[in-house]
Amino acid sequence: MSQPTSSLAVIRQCLQSGQQPTYGQLRNLTGLSHKQVQRLLGQLKQQGLPIQEHRIGRKRIFSLPTDRQYVQIPTLDFDNSELRALAIAAKASRSVLAGTPHFEPLKRAFDKLLERARPVTYVFDLEEPLQEWHFDNSPADLIALENFRALEAAMDERQSVQINYHTAKTGTDSVGRKIDPYCFVKRGRAWLLIAWCHERRAIRNFGLTRISQVVPCPENYFEIPDDFDPTTYFWASMGAINSGEVYTLRLLVEPEKARYFHERQYHSSQQIETERSDGRLVVSYELEGFEELRSFCQSWGVGITVLEPAELRLRLRQEAEELIARYQND
């Protein structure tokens, strides 16, 4: 009687540690037959353990949802500078992850760390850095947490999914659109999903707020290409949109706005080409996403003049003329 009980605990511990064993690996781990392992898995399910199953080729893989996996970390030694950095990083991370399923788990994890560290932090109060640092807590766009979780699970499993998606630019809805989810990206307030779209046969950005349903595709798995790099993918984008067409943006910056371009790099491609004697600057960029270029330039009002591209100058002039006409009518 002791052998099955012991093997039951071994399998439970294996799954709770985050491993994804096959039948063969569980047989080797317990020394039991295929049928005995199968019976123990059934017992664990009856006890309420949410064991998940999927196949890779002919192999059946077993796992637990991430929120049912537990990792015990041995005793670690931290000096006070490391603890201080962890306290600040935890607060910064909570700001970034607000609105996602990871916000509350991160808070619980850091509370555990604080509770463990507090009795031995004599040199400084661990709560102090949290008062000295402030991070932007403006809310991100609202997303459906169940969709976030489903997409993250699909990423972990490298499993294709079908989504219902609303394309804001065209006002159209896609039902059952098959994608391979690669990674999440936060750009400003917006959470995006970068994925391979089977319909377009290309990598696309999907706004998480516009995904209304996520359904896993059974037996459909993928591999992320070795040459895919999110940093490279967004290198020319000032915001969330990747159009594939790169523009040379050149601005004439008025003297009262020049200091901001000296103090801040608004994009990695920013170059100050000329500093004129009257205090104006000529600043250039290599960017994609025409609408985001337009929005960026409009945000500066009369503080900048677009020198190129010509189509952006024309668009801004047309919009300015329309605004003048509206206010004249008033």
Side-chain angles (χ1 to χ4, degrees), residues 276-296:
R276 298 185 177 181
S277 58
D278 60 2
R280 293 191 293 178
L281 305 177
V282 176
V283 184
S284 66
Y285 301 88
E286 296 293 324
L287 300 169
E288 62 177 313
F290 185 86
E291 292 302 319
E292 292 196 335
L293 266 66
R294 180 184 65 82
S295 178
F296 174 70

Side-chain angles (χ1 to χ4, degrees), residues 317-328:
R317 189 182 73 191
Q318 290 172 338
E319 293 185 354
E321 290 171 349
E322 183 176 340
L323 284 172
I324 291 172
R326 288 183 184 181
Y327 286 111
Q328 285 176 338

Side-chain angles (χ1 to χ4, degrees), residues 81-330:
S81 65
E82 291 169 339
L83 280 173
R84 187 182 185 90
L86 281 174
I88 296 167
K91 186 171 184 179
S93 299
R94 289 202 296 268
S95 174
V96 172
L97 295 176
T100 76
H102 297 294
F103 178 80
E104 288 299 329
L106 175 65
K107 184 178 183 301
R108 294 197 303 270
F110 187 63
D111 287 345
K112 290 179 182 178
L113 177 62
L114 279 178
E115 189 62 32
R116 181 68 62 87
R118 187 173 286 109
V120 295
T121 52
Y122 304 114
V123 176
F124 74 95
D125 183 356
L126 202 54
E127 302 283 357
E128 186 177 323
L130 303 184
Q131 300 169 3
E132 297 173 352
W133 291 76
H134 174 74
F135 298 94
D136 181 13
N137 291 318
S138 57
D141 292 344
L142 296 177
I143 56 177
L145 296 187
E146 64 273 17
N147 290 340
F148 197 107
R149 293 189 185 97
L151 289 166
E152 189 171 29
M155 289 181 198
D156 292 342
E157 301 293 336
R158 296 288 192 268
Q159 185 176 28
S160 302
V161 297
Q162 290 183 322
I163 62 172
N164 293 351
Y165 187 73
H166 176 75
T167 303
K169 186 176 181 179
T170 60
T172 58
D173 293 298
S174 302
V175 177
R177 189 169 180 176
K178 186 178 179 181
I179 61 171
D180 299 340
Y182 285 3
C183 68
F184 292 126
V185 176
K186 190 177 184 185
R187 307 280 287 183
R189 292 168 54 98
W191 277 102
L192 305 177
L193 172 70
I194 304 178
W196 173 264
C197 177
H198 288 253
E199 178 183 325
R200 301 295 185 186
R201 304 300 301 168
I203 296 175
R204 289 289 185 266
N205 300 340
F206 298 90
L208 291 186
T209 58
R210 298 199 294 274
I211 296 177
S212 59
Q213 187 177 45
V214 180
V215 179
C217 296
E219 311 301 326
N220 280 251
Y221 298 92
F222 65 89
E223 292 295 332
I224 297 178
D226 292 336
D227 59 355
F228 173 73
D229 177 18
T231 302
T232 303
Y233 177 70
F234 278 107
W235 79 269
S237 174
M238 186 164 277
I241 301 173
N242 293 75
S243 64
E245 184 176 1
V246 177
Y247 298 86
T248 297
L249 175 66
R250 297 180 72 245
L251 307 176
L252 179 62
V253 182
E254 297 301 315
E256 64 272 16
K257 301 297 183 183
R259 62 174 295 181
Y260 297 108
F261 290 83
H262 282 297
E263 294 173 351
R264 177 177 295 180
Q265 192 89 354
Y266 291 97
H267 188 266
S268 59
S269 65
Q270 178 174 305
Q271 296 288 332
I272 296 179
E273 295 183 0
T274 308
E275 296 190 48
R276 298 185 177 181
S277 58
D278 60 2
R280 293 191 293 178
L281 305 177
V282 176
V283 184
S284 66
Y285 301 88
E286 296 293 324
L287 300 169
E288 62 177 313
F290 185 86
E291 292 302 319
E292 292 196 335
L293 266 66
R294 180 184 65 82
S295 178
F296 174 70
C297 293
Q298 286 180 324
S299 70
W300 289 98
V302 296
I304 62 100
T305 303
V306 175
L307 301 178
E308 59 177 290
E311 56 264 49
L312 182 56
R313 285 174 57 87
L314 176 61
R315 174 74 171 272
L316 293 175
R317 189 182 73 191
Q318 290 172 338
E319 293 185 354
E321 290 171 349
E322 183 176 340
L323 284 172
I324 291 172
R326 288 183 184 181
Y327 286 111
Q328 285 176 338
N329 290 337
D330 285 345

